[in-house]
Every structure is written in C-alpha cells, then in structure tokens.
Amino acid sequence: MIIKLRFKLLLIIIVLIISKANAQECGLNTLNDAEGQYNIGKFYESIDKLNSCVSGKGFNYNEKVQAYRLLSMSYLAIDSVEKADESIERLLLLKDNFEADTRDPDRFRLQVLFLRQQLRARLTSSVSKKAESIELAPATIQIITYED
C-alpha cells in the first residue's frame, strides 16, 4: 500500500515538473527564437513555435501582441494572406492602437492599416462613447456615409 502511494506521488511530481517545463517554454526567449527564425527565412518553424504558445496561456499581454505581429509577418512571407489577416485581426482586437514598427515589412504595415479601417467601419459609438458593434448597438442609429 505504501509503495503504491509513493509511486502515485512520484508520478504526480513528474507530471507537474513536465507541465511546468512546458509552461516555461513560452515567453521572451520563445519570441526571440521565433524572430530569429523569421529573420533567416524559417517561417514555418516560427509559425509552429508561436502558435503553440499563443493557443495556450504561455504569453503575457505584451508578448502576445508581439507574437501576433510575428505570426502575421510570417504568414504574409509564405503568402498565406487569410491566416495573416486572422492574426492581424486578433492583434488589433488585443491592442486597438497597435502601430507597426518602421522595420516591419511594408506589406504588413499596409495590411494592418487596411484591416484596422475595416474593423472600425463595423463599430459605432453610442451615448456611452464606447466603441460597439453596429449590430449590437443598443439604440436605433442611422449611418450617413460620405456619398449620402
């Protein structure tokens, strides 16, 4: 009985150590590694490394913003525009006032501007001065465009 208890305790400790080691993989080192892989053209490796951390809870807020930036640039580098757009949308939903860095590729910077405009076109501001989706706005509204 005592041997079984010790074995179970040892098994639990091993599982905890392994899960803690996996949780520590994500962080600044992962971002630096992914950016290094991106810089030398290993886009798929960069994407795999970042997706595993973004899908879990391995990054804090600032790291997640940078991860989505790198993911978007990597997807654009392999011409996967739809996935790049998804990553940019997640980036902009996470940080609405995100500004692309001057060292970022022009294609990425232009795509960020384009998607930001599209996202903002679907938002309106009500009496509360809070940006809300047009479909979910609490009051009846009429949108007047430039052509009207």
Side-chain angles (χ1 to χ4, degrees):
M1 182 68 175
I2 294 176
I3 295 174
K4 286 183 181 180
L5 184 62
R6 286 183 181 172
F7 179 73
K8 287 179 184 179
L9 184 61
L10 180 63
L11 186 62
I12 290 173
I13 291 172
I14 290 172
V15 169
L16 288 174
I17 290 172
I18 290 172
S19 65
K20 187 173 182 177
N22 286 339
Q24 289 177 347
E25 282 182 14
C26 299
L28 194 55
N29 288 337
T30 304
L31 282 173
N32 290 335
D33 289 345
E35 189 163 13
Q37 290 172 338
Y38 171 83
N39 288 334
I40 61 173
K42 293 185 175 183
F43 306 118
Y44 291 100
E45 289 85 352
S46 177
I47 290 168
D48 290 341
K49 187 174 283 281
L50 292 170
N51 272 333
S52 64
C53 289
V54 168
S55 62
K57 298 189 180 199
F59 286 138
N60 65 32
Y61 173 78
N62 290 327
E63 292 169 344
K64 200 173 263 194
V65 168
Q66 291 305 315
Y68 281 127
R69 175 186 150 268
L70 278 170
L71 266 175
S72 304
M73 292 189 319
S74 297
Y75 281 129
L76 285 173
I78 61 171
D79 290 327
S80 182
V81 179
E82 287 128 17
K83 289 191 176 191
D85 286 350
E86 289 174 18
S87 294
I88 293 171
E89 280 189 34
R90 289 183 185 150
L91 170 65
L92 292 173
L93 290 173
L94 192 62
K95 185 176 181 180
D96 181 44
N97 62 346
F98 174 79
E99 291 294 327
D101 197 86
T102 56
R103 62 190 169 106
D104 293 339
D106 288 338
R107 186 176 182 192
F108 171 70
R109 286 189 277 152
L110 292 173
Q111 199 68 11
V112 168
L113 292 174
F114 175 73
L115 289 174
R116 179 181 287 127
Q117 287 176 346
Q118 280 190 331
L119 287 173
R120 287 186 178 165
R122 293 183 284 185
L123 295 177
T124 186
S125 181
S126 64
V127 177
S128 66
K129 304 292 186 230
K130 184 176 181 182
E132 301 171 284
S133 173
I134 290 175
E135 292 84 20
L136 301 175
T140 304
I141 60 169
Q142 183 174 8
I143 298 176
I144 301 172
T145 62
Y146 180 75
E147 291 83 27
D148 293 336

Short mmCIF file of all heavy atoms in Angstrom, two decimals, residues 115-146:
data_model
loop_
_atom_site.label_atom_id
_atom_site.label_comp_id
_atom_site.label_asym_id
_atom_site.label_seq_id
_atom_site.Cartn_x
_atom_site.Cartn_y
_atom_site.Cartn_z
N LEU A 115 -6.87 46.54 -42.41
CA LEU A 115 -7.76 45.80 -41.52
C LEU A 115 -8.27 46.65 -40.37
O LEU A 115 -9.41 46.47 -39.92
CB LEU A 115 -7.06 44.55 -41.00
CG LEU A 115 -6.87 43.45 -42.04
CD1 LEU A 115 -6.04 42.32 -41.48
CD2 LEU A 115 -8.20 42.94 -42.53
N ARG A 116 -7.47 47.58 -39.90
CA ARG A 116 -7.94 48.49 -38.85
C ARG A 116 -9.12 49.32 -39.36
O ARG A 116 -10.11 49.50 -38.67
CB ARG A 116 -6.82 49.41 -38.38
CG ARG A 116 -7.32 50.38 -37.28
CD ARG A 116 -6.26 51.32 -36.80
NE ARG A 116 -5.32 50.60 -35.97
CZ ARG A 116 -4.01 50.61 -36.17
NH1 ARG A 116 -3.47 51.30 -37.15
NH2 ARG A 116 -3.21 49.92 -35.39
N GLN A 117 -9.01 49.80 -40.59
CA GLN A 117 -10.11 50.58 -41.17
C GLN A 117 -11.36 49.72 -41.33
O GLN A 117 -12.47 50.18 -41.07
CB GLN A 117 -9.70 51.16 -42.52
CG GLN A 117 -8.73 52.31 -42.40
CD GLN A 117 -8.27 52.82 -43.76
OE1 GLN A 117 -8.46 52.17 -44.78
NE2 GLN A 117 -7.65 53.98 -43.76
N GLN A 118 -11.19 48.47 -41.74
CA GLN A 118 -12.33 47.58 -41.88
C GLN A 118 -12.98 47.29 -40.53
O GLN A 118 -14.21 47.28 -40.42
CB GLN A 118 -11.92 46.26 -42.53
CG GLN A 118 -11.77 46.34 -44.01
CD GLN A 118 -11.60 44.96 -44.62
OE1 GLN A 118 -11.07 44.05 -43.99
NE2 GLN A 118 -12.03 44.82 -45.85
N LEU A 119 -12.17 47.06 -39.51
CA LEU A 119 -12.73 46.80 -38.19
C LEU A 119 -13.45 48.01 -37.63
O LEU A 119 -14.51 47.90 -37.02
CB LEU A 119 -11.63 46.35 -37.22
CG LEU A 119 -11.09 44.94 -37.41
CD1 LEU A 119 -9.89 44.71 -36.50
CD2 LEU A 119 -12.15 43.90 -37.15
N ARG A 120 -12.90 49.17 -37.84
CA ARG A 120 -13.53 50.40 -37.32
C ARG A 120 -14.80 50.75 -38.09
O ARG A 120 -15.68 51.40 -37.55
CB ARG A 120 -12.54 51.55 -37.36
CG ARG A 120 -11.48 51.41 -36.29
CD ARG A 120 -10.58 52.61 -36.21
NE ARG A 120 -9.61 52.43 -35.12
CZ ARG A 120 -8.53 53.15 -34.98
NH1 ARG A 120 -8.26 54.11 -35.84
NH2 ARG A 120 -7.71 52.93 -33.98
N ALA A 121 -14.90 50.32 -39.33
CA ALA A 121 -16.11 50.59 -40.12
C ALA A 121 -17.30 49.83 -39.55
O ALA A 121 -18.44 50.25 -39.73
CB ALA A 121 -15.89 50.21 -41.57
N ARG A 122 -17.03 48.74 -38.85
CA ARG A 122 -18.10 47.94 -38.25
C ARG A 122 -18.44 48.39 -36.84
O ARG A 122 -19.27 47.79 -36.19
CB ARG A 122 -17.71 46.47 -38.25
CG ARG A 122 -17.63 45.88 -39.64
CD ARG A 122 -17.33 44.43 -39.58
NE ARG A 122 -15.92 44.25 -39.27
CZ ARG A 122 -15.30 43.09 -39.25
NH1 ARG A 122 -15.96 42.00 -39.48
NH2 ARG A 122 -14.01 43.01 -38.98
N LEU A 123 -17.78 49.43 -36.35
CA LEU A 123 -18.03 49.92 -34.99
C LEU A 123 -18.74 51.25 -35.02
O LEU A 123 -18.60 52.03 -35.96
CB LEU A 123 -16.71 50.07 -34.23
CG LEU A 123 -15.92 48.80 -33.96
CD1 LEU A 123 -14.62 49.15 -33.27
CD2 LEU A 123 -16.72 47.82 -33.13
N THR A 124 -19.49 51.50 -33.98
CA THR A 124 -20.13 52.79 -33.81
C THR A 124 -19.97 53.19 -32.35
O THR A 124 -19.62 52.39 -31.51
CB THR A 124 -21.63 52.73 -34.19
OG1 THR A 124 -22.17 54.03 -34.14
CG2 THR A 124 -22.41 51.82 -33.26
N SER A 125 -20.23 54.42 -32.06
CA SER A 125 -20.12 54.90 -30.70
C SER A 125 -21.50 55.37 -30.26
O SER A 125 -22.14 56.18 -30.94
CB SER A 125 -19.12 56.05 -30.64
OG SER A 125 -18.99 56.50 -29.33
N SER A 126 -21.97 54.89 -29.12
CA SER A 126 -23.28 55.28 -28.62
C SER A 126 -23.11 56.37 -27.57
O SER A 126 -22.05 56.97 -27.44
CB SER A 126 -23.99 54.06 -28.03
OG SER A 126 -23.29 53.57 -26.91
N VAL A 127 -24.14 56.59 -26.81
CA VAL A 127 -24.13 57.62 -25.79
C VAL A 127 -23.01 57.39 -24.78
O VAL A 127 -22.42 58.32 -24.26
CB VAL A 127 -25.50 57.67 -25.07
CG1 VAL A 127 -25.51 58.69 -23.96
CG2 VAL A 127 -26.60 57.96 -26.06
N SER A 128 -22.68 56.15 -24.57
CA SER A 128 -21.63 55.82 -23.60
C SER A 128 -20.23 56.14 -24.11
O SER A 128 -19.28 56.02 -23.39
CB SER A 128 -21.71 54.33 -23.24
OG SER A 128 -21.39 53.56 -24.38
N LYS A 129 -20.12 56.53 -25.38
CA LYS A 129 -18.84 56.87 -26.02
C LYS A 129 -17.91 55.67 -26.09
O LYS A 129 -16.72 55.81 -26.21
CB LYS A 129 -18.12 58.03 -25.30
CG LYS A 129 -18.96 59.28 -25.19
CD LYS A 129 -19.17 59.91 -26.55
CE LYS A 129 -19.88 61.23 -26.41
NZ LYS A 129 -21.01 61.38 -27.26
N LYS A 130 -18.49 54.48 -26.00
CA LYS A 130 -17.71 53.26 -26.08
C LYS A 130 -17.94 52.64 -27.46
O LYS A 130 -19.07 52.56 -27.92
CB LYS A 130 -18.15 52.29 -24.99
CG LYS A 130 -17.35 51.03 -24.94
CD LYS A 130 -17.79 50.17 -23.77
CE LYS A 130 -16.93 48.92 -23.75
NZ LYS A 130 -17.34 48.04 -22.68
N ALA A 131 -16.88 52.21 -28.11
CA ALA A 131 -16.99 51.60 -29.42
C ALA A 131 -17.73 50.28 -29.30
O ALA A 131 -17.42 49.44 -28.47
CB ALA A 131 -15.62 51.40 -30.02
N GLU A 132 -18.77 50.12 -30.13
CA GLU A 132 -19.59 48.91 -30.11
C GLU A 132 -19.84 48.46 -31.53
O GLU A 132 -19.81 49.26 -32.46
CB GLU A 132 -20.93 49.18 -29.43
CG GLU A 132 -20.82 49.68 -28.01
CD GLU A 132 -22.15 50.15 -27.45
OE1 GLU A 132 -22.58 51.24 -27.81
OE2 GLU A 132 -22.74 49.37 -26.68
N SER A 133 -20.15 47.20 -31.68
CA SER A 133 -20.50 46.68 -32.99
C SER A 133 -21.82 47.30 -33.41
O SER A 133 -22.74 47.47 -32.60
CB SER A 133 -20.63 45.16 -32.93
OG SER A 133 -21.12 44.67 -34.15
N ILE A 134 -21.94 47.61 -34.69
CA ILE A 134 -23.17 48.23 -35.18
C ILE A 134 -24.37 47.32 -34.94
O ILE A 134 -25.45 47.78 -34.57
CB ILE A 134 -23.03 48.56 -36.69
CG1 ILE A 134 -22.04 49.71 -36.86
CG2 ILE A 134 -24.37 48.92 -37.31
CD1 ILE A 134 -21.72 50.05 -38.30
N GLU A 135 -24.20 46.01 -35.11
CA GLU A 135 -25.30 45.07 -34.93
C GLU A 135 -25.74 44.98 -33.47
O GLU A 135 -26.87 44.62 -33.19
CB GLU A 135 -24.89 43.66 -35.41
CG GLU A 135 -24.68 43.55 -36.90
CD GLU A 135 -23.29 43.98 -37.34
OE1 GLU A 135 -22.37 44.01 -36.50
OE2 GLU A 135 -23.14 44.30 -38.52
N LEU A 136 -24.85 45.30 -32.53
CA LEU A 136 -25.17 45.16 -31.12
C LEU A 136 -25.43 46.49 -30.42
O LEU A 136 -25.61 46.53 -29.20
CB LEU A 136 -24.03 44.43 -30.41
CG LEU A 136 -23.70 43.03 -30.92
CD1 LEU A 136 -22.48 42.48 -30.21
CD2 LEU A 136 -24.88 42.09 -30.79
N ALA A 137 -25.46 47.59 -31.16
CA ALA A 137 -25.69 48.91 -30.56
C ALA A 137 -27.07 48.94 -29.93
O ALA A 137 -28.05 48.48 -30.52
CB ALA A 137 -25.55 50.00 -31.61
N PRO A 138 -27.21 49.52 -28.72
CA PRO A 138 -28.47 49.47 -28.00
C PRO A 138 -29.54 50.42 -28.56
O PRO A 138 -30.71 50.23 -28.30
CB PRO A 138 -28.09 49.89 -26.58
CG PRO A 138 -26.85 50.70 -26.75
CD PRO A 138 -26.14 50.12 -27.93
N ALA A 139 -29.17 51.39 -29.31
CA ALA A 139 -30.14 52.37 -29.79
C ALA A 139 -30.26 52.27 -31.32
O ALA A 139 -29.39 51.76 -32.00
CB ALA A 139 -29.70 53.78 -29.41
N THR A 140 -31.36 52.79 -31.82
CA THR A 140 -31.53 52.85 -33.27
C THR A 140 -30.62 53.94 -33.80
O THR A 140 -30.60 55.06 -33.29
CB THR A 140 -33.00 53.19 -33.62
OG1 THR A 140 -33.84 52.21 -32.99
CG2 THR A 140 -33.20 53.19 -35.11
N ILE A 141 -29.88 53.60 -34.83
CA ILE A 141 -28.94 54.56 -35.39
C ILE A 141 -29.11 54.62 -36.89
O ILE A 141 -29.65 53.71 -37.51
CB ILE A 141 -27.49 54.19 -35.05
CG1 ILE A 141 -27.14 52.83 -35.62
CG2 ILE A 141 -27.21 54.26 -33.58
CD1 ILE A 141 -25.67 52.50 -35.55
N GLN A 142 -28.67 55.71 -37.45
CA GLN A 142 -28.65 55.83 -38.90
C GLN A 142 -27.24 56.25 -39.28
O GLN A 142 -26.70 57.23 -38.77
CB GLN A 142 -29.65 56.89 -39.37
CG GLN A 142 -29.72 57.02 -40.86
CD GLN A 142 -30.81 57.96 -41.30
OE1 GLN A 142 -31.43 58.63 -40.48
NE2 GLN A 142 -31.06 58.01 -42.59
N ILE A 143 -26.67 55.50 -40.20
CA ILE A 143 -25.29 55.76 -40.60
C ILE A 143 -25.33 56.59 -41.88
O ILE A 143 -25.96 56.22 -42.86
CB ILE A 143 -24.53 54.45 -40.81
CG1 ILE A 143 -24.49 53.68 -39.50
CG2 ILE A 143 -23.14 54.73 -41.38
CD1 ILE A 143 -23.86 52.34 -39.60
N ILE A 144 -24.65 57.71 -41.84
CA ILE A 144 -24.57 58.59 -43.01
C ILE A 144 -23.13 58.49 -43.55
O ILE A 144 -22.19 58.78 -42.86
CB ILE A 144 -24.90 60.04 -42.64
CG1 ILE A 144 -26.30 60.10 -42.04
CG2 ILE A 144 -24.74 60.95 -43.84
CD1 ILE A 144 -26.67 61.44 -41.47
N THR A 145 -23.05 58.05 -44.77
CA THR A 145 -21.75 57.90 -45.39
C THR A 145 -21.41 59.16 -46.18
O THR A 145 -22.23 60.06 -46.33
CB THR A 145 -21.72 56.69 -46.33
OG1 THR A 145 -22.67 56.89 -47.37
CG2 THR A 145 -22.03 55.41 -45.58
N TYR A 146 -20.21 59.21 -46.70
CA TYR A 146 -19.75 60.34 -47.47
C TYR A 146 -20.61 60.55 -48.70
O TYR A 146 -20.91 61.68 -49.08
CB TYR A 146 -18.28 60.13 -47.86
CG TYR A 146 -17.70 61.25 -48.68
CD1 TYR A 146 -17.35 62.46 -48.08
CD2 TYR A 146 -17.51 61.11 -50.05
CE1 TYR A 146 -16.82 63.50 -48.83
CE2 TYR A 146 -16.99 62.14 -50.80
CZ TYR A 146 -16.63 63.33 -50.18
OH TYR A 146 -16.12 64.36 -50.92
#
